[in-house]
Amino acid sequence: GNFLELITFLASYNDKVSKVVLDNAPRNAKYISHMIQKEILHILANKVRHKIHENIKDSKFCIIIDEAGDESKREKMAIVLRYIDEK
């Protein structure tokens, strides 16, 4: 569910992605198996981690995490990264 929503979201912002995912995927290469989903999410997490590290370098930082449930009893987590940059 969440993975397919993420792929649809990415495809809506990037024409190159939208041409090769889900219904537009060549033959049976939809890449929605559980193992492939984990690998793709791992790659995305690493890219985000490297981008954050690139921005904050050796600056002081803190991470604030808040978890709450909504009316549908689903848990949601918000993560805030605060840091002081060079400027």
Side-chain angles (χ1 to χ4, degrees), residues 16-79:
K16 289 181 182 179
V17 173
S18 67
K19 290 178 183 175
V20 294
V21 296
L22 302 176
D23 294 333
N24 298 329
R27 298 189 199 180
N28 62 348
K30 298 210 184 281
Y31 303 109
I32 56 175
S33 76
H34 188 66
M35 188 174 74
I36 292 174
Q37 287 181 13
K38 281 188 169 188
E39 186 174 341
I40 291 171
L41 291 174
H42 179 74
I43 291 167
L44 289 172
N46 280 338
K47 286 191 170 286
V48 169
R49 190 177 306 117
H50 287 291
K51 190 66 175 172
I52 290 170
H53 184 264
E54 186 179 292
N55 285 341
I56 68 172
K57 297 178 184 153
D58 292 329
S59 301
K60 303 271 186 206
F61 70 94
C62 71
I63 298 174
I64 303 167
I65 300 174
D66 184 30
E67 185 178 7
D70 59 8
E71 288 186 22
S72 65
K73 306 291 187 233
R74 294 184 70 187
E75 295 290 324
K76 307 272 178 161
M77 186 183 329
I79 301 173

